[in-house]
Structure formats: structure tokens, C-alpha cells
């Protein structure tokens, strides 16, 4: 077994499959060498604190959490660096915004700012580019160039130009470690990272059927959150037979749009939003519509803070709940196990959700969305945290579902390489307005 021996002046990349132990190794190295760690787990800890200290009911107004400025300053006195760093990371206009109003990508940039402003001797980054739009990737790479760095990545392209050394992890062991070019040329590395075609056989089960007419209709929708106008005067219709991709920069309102569809945003009731033929706010329950929608999103991922098993997470897709609080039908249990088999996690069914790697957790949430075979799938960054093999599997499964007309797709991604062949329409924000392309 190879080992990582970090020395000043080096920058290391860590790669491996989901569940291989990459993140655990990164955390261990951060502790061993005194590095500043940025990861989804550290971000979740900050979210937990902000939710725990929510004073909304005492303030008689919504508490959006500490501001971006406060969260940066609490880890290091700014000494004049805050504004310039915030500008480089696209956070300057958000300095007074509360943490709970930020988009997924904006939170990622905040976590990076909290680490960078401390001028650490070593940065340990676990998937720092996940959730970031393309516009911020090059500026971030420039901020990271030449630094002593340890970086976990599921995409070798994210490491390009940033690392001098590479480690490959499998089953909790470092199989290969050395200079970047030598490792990627190694035959065992190429074999381990090789993508093989996977035959997809969907678990049996009858797909749900939606009512006739458009799946989604929005008219003159406006959303203001935390003092920011996220969406203004927006019209959009998703007709039957259409599969949509939604794209645009961090903070433009992509996730807000899908939350209006699912009913998870309270302002869906103050706007004209119709889903599956039912106008929001006309007496329907949120569960009437949710039963027809499968959802994967970063916010749903963060909601899964309860101590449930992997099998329970997938089963909960039948009940649209976080956790299972009722007797489970044998048929539902069998279907959930079939989906665990498909995603290669049958041996993890008794594992606690939070004990699994971030990528494995995301795979479970994808299975949760698909298990009831809903007519509409809303997939917000579904491949976040997935290795190359699992990304290929997930995209193949989604395309297969669409090709069989089992469901329509609304898909959000920042990654150009995560393409779905089934997409028929695109809703794109160009920085100023929404365009249908």
C-alpha cells in the first residue's frame, strides 16, 4: 500500500470511487498537517448551527442567519482582505445576506472564503468545484494555483494545473501515490478508473400517470427572498412530452424555480403556479402533488439529518417523507431493495445514512426519487459528489426512463459533461434574464 507523505511546496489530488475513503483520508491529512478543511460535511455543520440558533419566533420576523460578512469575520479578523477576497469569489454583493438565503453555489464560495481568508499553510479541499457554475471555476483555480494543497476530486479535470502529485484510494487504502503524470500513466490506475458499459434493467413496477394538460404553468411569477429579488415577472410552461434542462449562474433562481414546482417554497402560494393541473393555494395539499414528483436536490440532501438506514431512505420515496413513520408494505420494501441493487448498494442497506460517503448518500436520494416511478422527475445537481462510474450509471438510468416515457425530466446541472440525451428544451439564465433556447 502506498502512503501520502505531504511536504511543503507540494499539491496533492486524491481520487477514487464513491465510498473508497477519499474524504476520510482528506480529513485525516487535514488533522495531521494542520490544514484548513473545506467539505460538504463542514458546510453541513455550519448549516446545523444556523438552524439551531434561528431566532425567528422571538424576533417576530424571519431570521436568515448570520450574514456572509459575519461568517467570514468570525474565523479571522479581515485586516482589509475581506472585500478583495469577496470580490474574487463573487461574494461582494452578498456580504450582508444571511446564510440561509444563499444558493448552493454561493454557500460553497462562502466556505472557500472562510478558509482562504485565514491564509492557511495548507488547504484541504473536498470537491471544491461541486455546485459552482462555470463562471467561478477559473477565478477559483487562479486563487488556488501555487498553494500547498490537498484536494479530493471525482473529476480529473478539476485537478488539471493545480496538483503536482496524485493518490488513488480504494477500500480505505491508498493504492497508488506519487507524481501526477506517473500515477495516471500507471496501468493499475487506468484499470481502476476505467469506465465500463453498464446494462440498465429497471426494477419492475407500474409508473404513475399524470393528468392531461401541461405539467407546469407559471405566470408572472416574482420571488423575493431575504431582501433579494430572485425571480421577476417570470412565465414558463412545461408541456407533456418535454424534458427540460435549467442552466444559469449561482444565485439566479434555478433551485427556487423547482421549489415552486414542488411546493417547498412558501411563495408558490402567492404566485400563479399550476402543477399537474392543480393551482397552488386552491385547497390542494402539498402531498397531492408531491406523490407525482420524484425529487433530488442539495436542499433535500441537507434535510436528511435523521438517523435512518440506507434502506429506509429509499423506502421513504413512496411516502415523500424524510424517514419512514408508518408500516411499510412488503411490495415497497422489495422495490426499494431492487433499486439498491441497481445502484450497487445492496450491501449497505442497514448502514446509517450519515455514516456513508457524500456520493453514496446522493445515490440513495436518486433511488429514493425513482422508486415510486413518478411522472415527473426534478433533478437538481443529481450527479454532485458522484464518481465517473456512478455518474454514467445515473445518467443512463435517467435517459432510459425518459426514452420509455416513464417520466418527464426537469434537470439542473453546472457540468457540461453531464449530458442527458433526452433533453428537448432548455431554460437558461444569461445573467440578466431567462431565455428559452
Amino acid at each position: 500500500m502506498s502512503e501520502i507523505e505531504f511536504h511543503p511546496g507540494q499539491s496533492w489530488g486524491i481520487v477514487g470511487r464513491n465510498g473508497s475513503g477519499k474524504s476520510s483520508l482528506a480529513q485525516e491529512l487535514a488533522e495531521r498537517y494542520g490544514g484548513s478543511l473545506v467539505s460538504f460535511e463542514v458546510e453541513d455543520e455550519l448549516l446545523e448551527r444556523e438552524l439551531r440558533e434561528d431566532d425567528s419566533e422571538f424576533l417576530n420576523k424571519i431570521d436568515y442567519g448570520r450574514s456572509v460578512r459575519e461568517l467570514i469575520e468570525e474565523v479571522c479578523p479581515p485586516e482589509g482582505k475581506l472585500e478583495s477576497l469577496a470580490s474574487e469569489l463573487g461574494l461582494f454583493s452578498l456580504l450582508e445576506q444571511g446564510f440561509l438565503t444563499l444558493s448552493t453555489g454561493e454557500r460553497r464560495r462562502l466556505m472557500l472564503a472562510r478558509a482562504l481568508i485565514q491564509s492557511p499553510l495548507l488547504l484541504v479541499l473536498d470537491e471544491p468545484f461541486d455546485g459552482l457554475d462555470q463562471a467561478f471555476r477559473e477565478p477559483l483555480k487562479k486563487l488556488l494555483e501555487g498553494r500547498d494543497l490537498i484536494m479530493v476530486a471525482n473529476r480529473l479535470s478539476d485537478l488539471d494545473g493545480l496538483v503536482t502529485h496524485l493518490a488513488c484510494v480504494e477500500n480505505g487504502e491508498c493504492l497508488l501515490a506519487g507524481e501526477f503524470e506517473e500515477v495516471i500513466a500507471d496501468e493499475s490506475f487506468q484499470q481502476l478508473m476505467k469506465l465500463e458499459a453498464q446494462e440498465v434493467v429497471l426494477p419492475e413496477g407500474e409508473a404513475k400517470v399524470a393528468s392531461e394538460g401541461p405539467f407546469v404553468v407559471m405566470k408572472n411569477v416574482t420571488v423575493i427572498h431575504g431582501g433579494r429579488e430572485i425571480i421577476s415577472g417570470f412565465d414558463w410552461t412545461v408541456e407533456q412530452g418535454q424534458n427540460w434542462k435549467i442552466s444559469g449562474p449561482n444565485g439566479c433562481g434555478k433551485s427556487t424555480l423547482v421549489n415552486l414546482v414542488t411546493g417547498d417554497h412558501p411563495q408558490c402560494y402567492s404566485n400563479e403556479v399550476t402543477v399537474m393541473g392543480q393551482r397552488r393555494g386552491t385547497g390542494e395539499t402539498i402531498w397531492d402533488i408531491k406523490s407525482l414528483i420524484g425529487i433530488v436536490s442539495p436542499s433535500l440532501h441537507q434535510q436528511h439529518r435523521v438517523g435512518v438506514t440506507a434502506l429506509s431512505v429509499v423506502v421513504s420515496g413512496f411516502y415523500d417523507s424524510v424517514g419512514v413513520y408508518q408500516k411499510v408494505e412488503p411490495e415497497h420494501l422489495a422495490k426499494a431493495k431492487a433499486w439498491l441493487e441497481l445502484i450497487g448498494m445492496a450491501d449497505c442497506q442497514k448502514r446509517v445514512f450519515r455514516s456513508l460517503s457524500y456520493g453514496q448518500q446522493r445515490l440513495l436520494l436518486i433511488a429514493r426519487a425513482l422508486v415510486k416511478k413518478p411522472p415527473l422527475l426534478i433533478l437538481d445537481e443529481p450527479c454532485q459528489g458522484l464518481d465517473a462510474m456512478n455518474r454514467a450509471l445515473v445518467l443512463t438510468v435517467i435517459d432510459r426512463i425518459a426514452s420509455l416515457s416513464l417520466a418527464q425530466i426537469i434537470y439542473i446541472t453546472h457540468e457540461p459533461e453531464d449530458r442527458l440525451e433526452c433533453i428537448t428544451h432548455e431554460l437558461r439564465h444569461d445573467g440578466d434574464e431567462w431565455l428559452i433556447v
Side-chain angles (χ1 to χ4, degrees):
M1 182 182 74
S2 302
E3 291 186 0
I4 291 182
E5 289 291 340
F6 176 81
H7 299 283
Q10 292 182 344
S11 51
W12 280 83
I14 302 176
V15 297
R17 294 176 179 169
N18 292 135
S20 62
K22 304 187 298 293
S23 295
S24 297
L25 176 58
Q27 185 170 356
E28 177 189 325
L29 292 170
E31 294 170 357
R32 184 192 307 174
Y33 294 107
S36 184
L37 176 65
V38 176
S39 68
F40 283 110
E41 289 75 15
V42 174
E43 182 182 327
D44 280 349
E45 289 173 8
L46 184 59
L47 173 63
E48 288 278 1
R49 187 191 74 177
E50 294 303 301
L51 291 174
R52 189 170 58 249
E53 298 179 6
D54 184 346
D55 288 330
S56 295
E57 61 179 289
F58 302 109
L59 296 173
N60 200 29
K61 64 177 182 179
I62 298 177
D63 182 359
Y64 292 111
R66 291 173 178 83
S67 70
V68 171
R69 182 187 297 277
E70 290 171 324
L71 289 169
I72 296 174
E73 288 182 343
E74 77 174 1
V75 297
C76 181
E79 298 177 358
K81 295 189 297 182
L82 190 151
E83 280 75 13
S84 60
L85 180 60
S87 293
E88 289 180 283
L89 288 171
L91 293 171
F92 187 80
S93 64
L94 303 175
L95 284 174
E96 310 311 322
Q97 291 293 319
F99 180 75
L100 300 179
T101 72
L102 302 179
S103 71
T104 303
E106 289 166 347
R107 289 183 185 179
R108 293 297 281 165
R109 302 205 305 270
L110 168 61
M111 301 308 294
L112 289 161
R114 280 166 59 93
L116 288 167
I117 201 166
Q118 299 177 64
S119 300
L121 296 176
L122 172 64
L123 268 175
V124 182
L125 308 177
D126 192 344
E127 296 293 347
F129 294 101
D130 262 13
L132 293 187
D133 63 51
Q134 296 298 312
F136 288 106
R137 294 185 176 225
E138 286 308 312
L140 177 56
K141 279 195 171 185
K142 288 180 181 178
L143 278 172
L144 299 179
E145 283 175 359
R147 292 179 179 269
D148 288 359
L149 183 70
I150 294 174
M151 186 169 123
V152 174
N154 282 312
R155 304 171 193 266
L156 277 176
S157 58
D158 287 344
L159 300 173
D160 187 33
L162 290 179
V163 300
T164 57
H165 293 68
L166 187 65
C168 184
V169 180
E170 182 72 6
N171 295 324
E173 296 186 349
C174 189
L175 300 183
L176 289 167
E179 293 190 8
F180 185 85
E181 297 297 338
E182 291 180 1
V183 171
I184 63 173
D186 191 288
E187 185 176 339
S188 58
F189 173 81
Q190 294 179 16
Q191 187 64 34
L192 188 65
M193 304 300 287
K194 183 179 179 182
L195 272 179
E196 297 179 358
Q198 301 175 72
E199 183 179 353
V200 172
V201 178
L202 298 176
E204 294 182 1
E206 192 171 337
K208 291 188 175 184
V209 179
S211 59
E212 295 183 0
F215 273 25
V216 178
V217 179
M218 295 186 185
K219 294 183 179 179
N220 196 31
V221 167
T222 296
V223 175
I224 298 173
H225 186 52
R228 274 199 293 171
E229 188 173 72
I230 307 298
I231 298 171
S232 178
F234 177 76
D235 297 318
W236 184 37
T237 300
V238 177
E239 299 285 359
Q240 293 215 18
Q242 296 178 346
N243 297 311
W244 285 79
K245 176 182 176 182
I246 303 177
S247 60
N250 294 140
C252 71
K254 301 184 298 296
S255 296
T256 299
L257 283 178
V258 298
N259 286 337
L260 289 172
V261 176
T262 62
D264 292 318
H265 197 293
Q267 292 180 46
C268 69
Y269 301 104
S270 59
N271 280 286
E272 189 172 342
V273 179
T274 302
V275 181
M276 304 291 186
Q278 298 185 65
R279 170 78 184 271
R280 289 293 189 187
T282 56
E284 89 292 353
T285 72
I286 191 172
W287 309 110
D288 291 336
I289 297 177
K290 276 200 170 182
S291 67
L292 302 173
I293 302 175
I295 307 165
V296 179
S297 70
S299 61
L300 180 65
H301 197 148
Q302 290 173 332
Q303 289 171 30
H304 276 72
R305 300 188 295 275
V306 294
V308 296
T309 65
L311 180 59
S312 293
V313 169
V314 181
V315 168
S316 71
F318 288 107
Y319 310 108
D320 304 301
S321 57
V322 177
V324 178
Y325 308 97
Q326 59 197 86
K327 183 180 178 180
V328 177
E329 298 293 333
E331 179 188 5
H332 291 168
L333 201 61
K335 288 179 179 178
K337 289 181 178 179
W339 277 100
L340 283 172
E341 187 76 37
L342 178 61
I343 63 173
M345 292 187 65
D347 59 345
C348 295
Q349 63 178 279
K350 294 182 179 179
R351 293 272 305 274
V352 175
F353 180 75
R354 282 292 176 181
S355 72
L356 298 166
S357 74
Y358 188 86
Q360 289 174 315
Q361 292 175 14
R362 186 53 60 98
L363 278 174
L364 289 173
L365 293 177
I366 291 167
R368 176 188 182 275
L370 301 175
V371 69
K372 64 184 177 184
K373 293 198 172 179
L376 179 61
L377 283 171
I378 295 180
L379 308 171
D380 187 349
E381 297 286 359
C383 295
Q384 195 174 82
L386 300 188
D387 62 38
M389 184 174 295
N390 282 322
R391 287 198 306 273
L393 171 63
V394 166
L395 295 174
T396 299
V397 167
I398 295 168
D399 268 326
R400 178 69 172 157
I401 287 170
S403 70
L404 294 173
S405 299
L406 298 177
Q408 287 182 217
I409 313 298
I410 295 177
Y411 178 53
I412 297 176
T413 183
H414 290 296
E415 300 291 347
E417 62 192 72
D418 294 347
R419 292 186 297 272
L420 286 173
E421 299 298 326
C422 66
I423 296 300
T424 59
H425 295 71
E426 182 175 356
L427 179 65
R428 180 187 301 166
H429 198 285
D430 66 355
D432 295 311
E433 60 179 339
W434 288 101
L435 305 170
I436 294 176
V437 295

